[in-house]
Amino acid sequence: MDELLAQFLVEGSELVQQGTEALLALERRPDDRTRIDEAFRAVHTLKGSVGLFDLPPMALALHAAEDLLAAVRGGARAVDRPTIDTLLEVLDQTQAWLGALERGGVLPDGAAAASERLVAELATAATPSPATPSPGAPSPVAPSPVAPSPIAGGAAQAWAAALAADLPLEARAGPLVALRYTPHPGCYFTGDDPLAILAEAPGLVHVRLSRRPAPAADGPYDPFSCDLVIEAAAAAPLTELTSAFRFVADQVAFAHVPPVGLAPPAAPEEGAAGRTLRVDARRVEALAALVDELIAAKSGLAEVVALARSGAAADALAERLGARYGALDRLVGQAHQRVAALRMAPVRPLLRRFPRVVREMAESVGKDVELVVEGDGVEADRNIVEGLFEPLTHLLRNAVDHGVEGEEERRAAGKPPRAVIRLSASEQAGRLHIEVRDDGRGIDPQAIRAAAARRALASAEALAEMDDAAVVELIFLPGFSTAGAVTALSGRGVGMDAIRAAVGRLGGRVSVSSQPGAGAAIHLVLPLTVALTQVMVVSHAEERYGVPVAGVLETVRLRSDQLVPIRAGHAFNWRDRTVPLLALSALTRGAAAAPVGGQRVLVLRAGGQPVGLAVDAIEDRLDVAMRPLEGLLAGMRGVAGTTVMGDGQVLMILDPEALIG
Amino acid sequence: MSVRRDGSVIRLEGDCPVEEAEALTALLEADGDWTIDVSLCRHLHTALVQALLRFRPRIVGEPENRVLRMLILPAIRTHDA
């Protein structure tokens, strides 16, 4: 790729992000001059950079956005919601175009049409209309009068990202099209049945329904005024979908949902093609200095080689070699550490993706929510940072949906009408701490008790003995948070067990604290770096365990005639040695199940000697983040740690040395 | 009749057209711990789905209509605004 273009792609994403942040802040404080200047600068710089390349559609849209911001800056117009929406759409589209440039080097088909549409929208936004919706009102689906490109804003659309985050992973193996259908309020009278239209769409995999906030919340419910927002994901070509909605085309927006793995394109690190690592220049310089030292150390070795050739005495050679070895050892150790540091990524870009997502979530449920993000300078392993997007999306959705109250309920409780959710990251004692804290209604322990009792997750006696803090932790139990429980509870719990499993896979823990009436906080504690251990998952007598691969010499299948009874036990021949054979269940439960042959056997090294461990099956080989034992289990002999499997089950990882020795 | 009250159970049966939204809303607005049975429902007009979202009664039954069973009902059940 052209070096200039490569640099522009990196900087472009950064500028889009800066512009987006400034616009979101402006929405809260429309007269903040600094923010207006920031937004203007970001768009101005983007436009200037685009001018270096032959990308007319991108240049046109950004130019129009710059004009609009210049008008805002000059005081010629106020900043209202539609203006912000349109400007954000330009930045979304710019980000989508940057992604296309990174993948294929050219703008996608239809870029010109999309650009024209944006320019037209910016022109509309620039002439204040009398019917400007008040802030907080749902933004209407942008009508697309002239030959519209059906994909508005591309995959960067935040509602599409929020919808995608709702999808089960298996549904996201292939590319999907997300759609958002906002039927006219009067559509029932004109004979429309929006869900019947939706049902005709090919390849539907997921549907999400929400209600637009009513303009007058206290009026009686009007069953014939449509207030639905229908979002869906379909595995079908866009052309077939647009055709299914051709009679209501002005009420539907589409967006592509890339398959999992390429997920939201907002972060520059996640380019699909040729992943680029952004690394602090100082770290590269430190590495270069280290390499210089390594070269010097190598020359030092050459001197020892010359000495050896000249027939120097062995002890003199050994002394020199020992000194050189010490120097090399130190340098290689440093190199290892510094290269590991390159794997560290700042948490901030991940966090910065959420204000946009939360804005959409809040809008879809008609609440006024501000997301405050804190966590400058915190770093963690890239795998951990990337693995946090999905669980954090779910946690924020929970906070928006269940945690914070609507405006009226907040006023009634004497709280400021705008809810605040705080997403913070910090490093404490070598661990990454992430917290999602809302100032909502908190979690009602009584409701949790009732739900847990109803679902028989704990006995009445056990529940009676638990204090409120322990009761609130029950939301993490699998089976607690099926959809039925959530609605009945009006509490949290959308997939809290799934969140715990996802965080567990990264080697972390989740906990919750709540103060009824004042809010709730979910706290994640994760390792800063991932130490992955390769384990074999073995099963025996219906139990599953992990055995670290490092301790396994070989796996063999024993015929019964290879078994040799020795006193009370058994042994077998392995590489001309007689090796004792133990059954896994005998070790873990003390059950004296005799090996019968025909089994799989792991040959392990224990106490310097090979030992056979009979199992029923070797199920899998996995790289896992192993967590040390804690609490009651901490002293358990023979278990090195635990990990959470993909299905949410906890797998004990054995320490054969301690178990057998 | 496609919206039929049976004690504390409201049965939605066969084709439930838009006009039924009013009857369903009237029932749901009345006090009571309603259970909606959709086992025999073939088609549920959007206006009725909207009423179910608004009043959030308990919903039981597995209708034959695939889109209704697999996509719409789960969406109603997970709706939590």
Side-chain angles (χ1 to χ4, degrees):
Chain A
M1 193 189 287
D2 173 8
E3 219 171 278
L4 200 57
L5 181 62
Q7 179 159 7
F8 166 58
L9 291 176
V10 172
E11 285 174 6
S13 291
E14 189 64 31
L15 288 166
V16 166
Q17 188 65 48
Q18 283 172 13
T20 304
E21 278 173 19
L23 288 172
L24 290 175
L26 260 185
E27 189 172 22
R28 307 257 170 239
R29 285 189 305 277
D31 43 1
D32 187 337
R33 298 288 319 170
T34 353
R35 293 304 199 167
I36 297 177
D37 287 346
E38 271 176 32
F40 177 81
R41 263 203 310 278
V43 171
H44 175 77
T45 314
L46 268 171
K47 189 207 74 177
S49 310
V50 169
L52 299 174
F53 310 94
D54 184 25
L55 305 165
M58 210 162 164
L60 279 175
L62 286 165
H63 193 107
E66 186 193 14
D67 285 350
L68 179 52
L69 277 165
V72 169
R73 204 169 172 222
R77 17 175 328 105
V79 185
D80 55 7
R81 181 81 183 233
T83 308
I84 301 241
D85 278 340
T86 317
L87 287 168
L88 283 173
E89 215 180 307
V90 173
L91 291 177
D92 279 351
Q93 181 65 70
T94 304
Q95 181 64 55
W97 281 335
L98 289 172
L101 285 172
E102 187 171 2
R103 284 187 297 274
V106 290
L107 292 181
D109 295 343
S115 170
E116 260 176 51
R117 189 181 56 79
L118 287 170
V119 171
E121 274 182 37
L122 286 164
T124 325
T127 34
S129 73
T132 303
S134 61
S139 56
V141 170
S144 332
V146 263
S149 151
I151 297 278
Q157 293 256 343
W159 63 264
L163 178 69
D166 255 11
L167 293 173
L169 279 183
E170 61 270 20
R172 295 191 56 192
L176 297 174
V177 173
L179 64 95
R180 180 183 234 196
Y181 174 14
T182 317
H184 287 313
C187 71
Y188 298 155
F189 287 106
T190 53
D192 278 354
D193 185 349
L195 289 173
I197 297 173
L198 176 76
E200 294 301 316
L204 286 179
V205 296
H206 185 71
V207 175
R208 199 172 123 83
L209 299 174
S210 47
R211 298 177 58 228
R212 274 175 283 170
D218 15 277
Y221 173 65
D222 178 358
F224 296 124
S225 167
C226 181
D227 64 2
L228 289 181
V229 178
I230 301 164
E231 291 170 337
L238 181 64
T239 46
E240 288 179 23
L241 286 165
T242 46
S243 160
F245 291 94
R246 63 192 177 283
F247 296 120
V248 290
D250 60 325
Q251 302 162 40
V252 186
F254 295 94
H256 283 299
V257 179
V260 154
L262 311 180
E269 291 94 336
E270 292 191 357
R275 207 172 112 109
T276 317
L277 275 188
R278 300 186 64 193
V279 174
D280 187 336
R282 278 168 301 184
R283 289 189 177 163
V284 177
E285 278 157 25
L287 259 184
L290 196 59
V291 170
D292 288 345
E293 281 192 60
L294 276 168
I295 291 170
K298 187 202 73 175
S299 316
L301 274 179
E303 179 201 335
V304 183
V305 172
L307 261 179
R309 287 220 174 103
S310 69
D315 51 349
L317 267 180
E319 193 184 319
R320 294 281 179 102
L321 261 179
R324 301 286 178 241
Y325 169 80
L328 260 180
D329 186 44
R330 179 181 57 83
L331 290 172
V332 169
Q334 281 181 13
H336 179 80
Q337 269 176 18
R338 292 194 184 164
V339 171
L342 294 183
R343 286 207 47 83
M344 300 294 274
V347 179
R348 177 97 185 140
L350 168 80
L351 304 184
R352 279 163 58 174
R353 290 155 74 176
F354 288 111
R356 199 59 213 285
V357 176
V358 166
R359 178 180 185 266
E360 288 283 334
M361 288 173 178
E363 190 177 299
S364 76
V365 296
K367 290 178 182 171
D368 189 6
V369 181
E370 177 174 8
L371 181 74
V372 178
V373 167
E374 292 160 354
D376 277 321
V378 181
E379 292 195 330
D381 188 281
R382 285 173 196 279
N383 286 333
I384 294 200
V385 174
E386 282 163 20
L388 280 172
F389 180 73
E390 299 242 356
L392 284 179
T393 306
H394 285 300
L395 284 175
L396 288 167
R397 170 171 293 286
N398 277 345
V400 170
D401 282 358
H402 312 297
V404 302
E405 316 88 330
E407 225 167 282
E408 284 178 27
E409 192 179 336
R410 291 182 65 87
R411 278 186 211 281
K415 295 180 179 181
R418 172 178 296 156
V420 177
I421 300 176
R422 220 165 268 281
L423 172 61
S424 56
S426 59
E427 190 191 323
Q428 293 168 33
R431 313 277 285 172
L432 172 64
H433 288 243
I434 301 222
E435 190 178 72
V436 177
R437 174 179 291 275
D438 66 59
D439 66 348
R441 55 174 77 94
I443 302 172
D444 176 8
Q446 288 318 317
I448 306 281
R449 275 181 211 277
R454 199 164 51 240
R455 316 204 131 244
L457 293 174
S459 68
E461 300 83 60
L463 281 172
E465 280 179 15
M466 286 185 199
D467 61 14
D468 286 351
V471 164
V472 169
E473 295 272 344
L474 291 175
I475 61 172
F476 292 115
L477 285 183
F480 181 86
S481 53
T482 65
V486 172
T487 41
L489 241 179
S490 78
R492 27 191 91 213
V494 179
M496 290 306 277
D497 57 327
I499 290 167
R500 183 170 66 170
V503 174
R505 276 194 293 281
L506 299 173
R509 288 194 311 267
V510 190
S511 60
V512 56
S513 59
S514 151
Q515 211 180 338
I522 307 281
H523 202 89
L524 316 186
V525 183
L526 295 131
L528 288 171
T529 54
V530 207
L532 292 181
T533 311
Q534 204 180 33
V535 299
M536 276 187 192
V537 181
V538 298
S539 62
H540 191 64
E542 291 174 18
E543 289 182 4
R544 276 202 299 186
Y545 293 96
V547 178
V549 169
V552 179
L553 298 171
E554 195 176 330
T555 64
V556 293
R557 185 181 286 280
L558 274 193
R559 295 187 312 272
S560 45
D561 63 341
Q562 288 172 300
L563 280 174
V564 186
I566 292 182
R567 274 175 268 160
H570 289 83
F572 64 104
N573 281 321
W574 178 71
R575 300 196 179 182
D576 299 330
R577 296 175 69 162
T578 302
V579 174
L581 180 64
L582 303 165
L584 179 57
S585 59
L587 290 177
T588 55
R589 293 187 300 187
V596 289
Q599 283 151 314
R600 300 299 299 261
V601 172
L602 307 184
V603 183
L604 306 169
R605 182 187 301 281
Q609 298 293 321
V611 174
L613 189 66
V615 299
D616 290 341
I618 297 170
E619 293 183 0
D620 211 348
R621 206 182 247 257
L622 297 173
D623 284 319
V624 301
M626 188 163 71
R627 286 161 50 183
L629 294 173
E630 287 170 351
L632 282 178
L633 293 175
M636 202 161 143
R637 191 177 156 76
V639 179
T642 62
T643 190
V644 181
M645 305 276 284
D647 59 6
Q649 279 199 26
V650 174
L651 182 76
M652 299 257 220
I653 298 169
L654 301 177
D655 175 0
E657 191 89 17
L659 203 59
I660 297 167
Chain B
M1 193 171 164
S2 50
V3 173
R4 191 157 64 81
R5 187 185 153 183
D6 187 354
S8 66
V9 178
I10 301 173
R11 297 189 196 282
L12 302 181
E13 296 172 349
D15 285 329
C16 302
V18 61
E19 301 81 47
E20 302 285 348
E22 195 156 25
L24 177 63
T25 303
L27 285 172
L28 291 174
E29 271 178 340
D31 278 346
D33 185 12
W34 298 107
T35 299
I36 307 290
D37 186 342
V38 290
S39 319
L40 298 177
C41 183
R42 268 196 312 272
H43 170 73
L44 196 55
H45 190 278
T46 310
L48 282 80
V49 170
Q50 180 179 316
L52 295 179
L53 285 179
R54 165 71 178 77
F55 295 99
R56 307 164 57 167
R58 189 165 43 254
I59 302 175
V60 299
E62 297 274 305
E64 219 170 284
N65 179 329
R66 193 195 79 90
V67 173
L68 183 58
R69 185 180 69 240
M70 306 285 288
L71 296 169
I72 307 295
L73 289 177
I76 299 176
R77 293 198 175 105
T78 51
H79 168 77
D80 32 38

